[in-house]
């Protein structure tokens, strides 16, 4: 089973991946770690502030083929990050799609407005952010984008942040 976890910044992708790792003992790949490894090793001209579209295009080609390899070897894997394109299915044939689920975490406007202080409070619960200027307006815009583009893959966070995945 391959579990893709995506969504806007601060939605809890890494925290969910960590919970799933602990519960199911599936390894997980952080696309951010892959990005920084490729950047720091000089294997790309991209940098951490490069356009998200360019980063997604570059990173997804690599991640997609890693997913295919895991499926072919009947291995479980959790992949988390914002660099999963909304058309992720197009890179896989039906034989692969049966082993992949995608979860896109989306916070509603109401949740963001009512819980912004909590969102900021927990932003470093798993990984430390070296630089973060997250604003409420940015969160609103980014979550609206993911909701519009990921549709049925979305898990909506509206009243409380309490999400469990049972596979």
């Amino acid at each position: 089973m391959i579990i893709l976890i995506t969504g806007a910044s601060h939605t809890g992708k890494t925290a969910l991946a960590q919970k799933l790792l602990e519960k199911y003992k599936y390894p997980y790949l952080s696309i951010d770690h892959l990005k920084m490894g490729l950047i720091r090793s000089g294997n790309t001209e991209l940098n951490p502030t490069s356009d998200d579209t360019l980063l997604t295009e570059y990173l997804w080609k690599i991640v997609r083929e890693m997913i295919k390899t895991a499926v072919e070897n009947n291995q479980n894997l959790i992949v988390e990050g914002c660099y999963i394109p909304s058309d992720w299915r197009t890179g896989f044939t039906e034989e692969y799609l049966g082993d992949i689920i995608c979860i896109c975490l989306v916070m509603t406007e109401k949740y963001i407005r009512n819980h912004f202080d909590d969102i900021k409070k927990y932003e470093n619960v798993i990984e430390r952010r070296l630089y973060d200027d997250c604003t409420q307006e940015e969160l609103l815009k980014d979550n609206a984008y993911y909701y519009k583009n990921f549709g049925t893959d979305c898990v909506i966070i509206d009243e409380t942040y309490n999400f469990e995945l049972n596979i």
Side-chain angles (χ1 to χ4, degrees):
M1 173 68 56
I2 308 299
I3 303 169
L4 305 178
I5 303 170
T6 193
S9 179
H10 291 75
T11 54
K13 298 178 298 294
T14 306
L16 177 58
Q18 183 68 36
K19 284 182 183 180
L20 293 174
L21 174 146
E22 292 168 5
K23 182 174 183 177
Y24 295 107
K25 310 298 185 228
Y26 291 4
Y28 91 83
L29 168 69
S30 165
I31 301 175
D32 278 336
H33 291 177
L34 175 64
K35 172 186 79 173
M36 292 310 299
L38 291 165
I39 290 169
R40 288 178 173 172
S41 66
N43 283 293
T44 180
E45 296 297 317
L46 297 170
N47 64 65
T49 61
S50 293
D51 179 75
D52 280 351
T53 303
L54 293 174
L55 285 165
T56 299
E57 182 180 310
Y58 178 76
L59 293 166
W60 183 245
K61 291 176 189 176
I62 298 165
V63 172
R64 181 187 63 222
E65 299 309 314
M66 293 172 72
I67 291 168
K68 288 178 182 177
T69 302
V71 170
E72 291 162 359
N73 287 288
N74 199 30
Q75 295 171 319
N76 300 311
L77 181 63
I78 300 162
V79 178
E80 69 88 8
C82 62
Y83 303 108
I84 297 172
S86 59
D87 66 347
W88 66 269
R89 287 177 181 84
T90 61
F92 300 99
T93 60
E94 287 301 317
E95 70 180 299
Y96 294 101
L97 288 172
D99 291 311
I100 304 171
I101 62 172
C102 182
I103 300 161
C104 179
L105 300 176
V106 174
M107 296 174 176
T108 65
E109 178 179 351
K110 178 175 78 172
Y111 184 85
I112 293 167
R113 292 198 188 283
N114 291 338
H115 298 278
F116 185 71
D117 289 341
D118 290 332
I119 293 167
K120 293 292 288 178
K121 178 181 170 182
Y122 293 108
E123 69 186 359
N124 293 310
V125 71
I126 300 294
E127 295 180 330
R128 283 184 291 173
R129 297 170 191 266
L130 299 179
Y131 173 76
D132 188 34
D133 61 350
C134 173
T135 67
Q136 199 172 89
E137 291 309 310
E138 182 181 305
L139 280 179
L140 291 168
K141 181 182 76 124
D142 291 349
N143 278 270
Y145 167 84
Y146 278 92
Y147 181 71
K148 177 184 175 194
N149 289 288
F150 278 83
T152 59
D153 290 329
C154 292
V155 171
I156 306 301
I157 302 159
D158 187 42
E159 294 291 331
T160 61
Y161 196 113
N162 188 15
F163 172 67
E164 288 292 324
L165 176 68
N166 295 306
I167 53 174

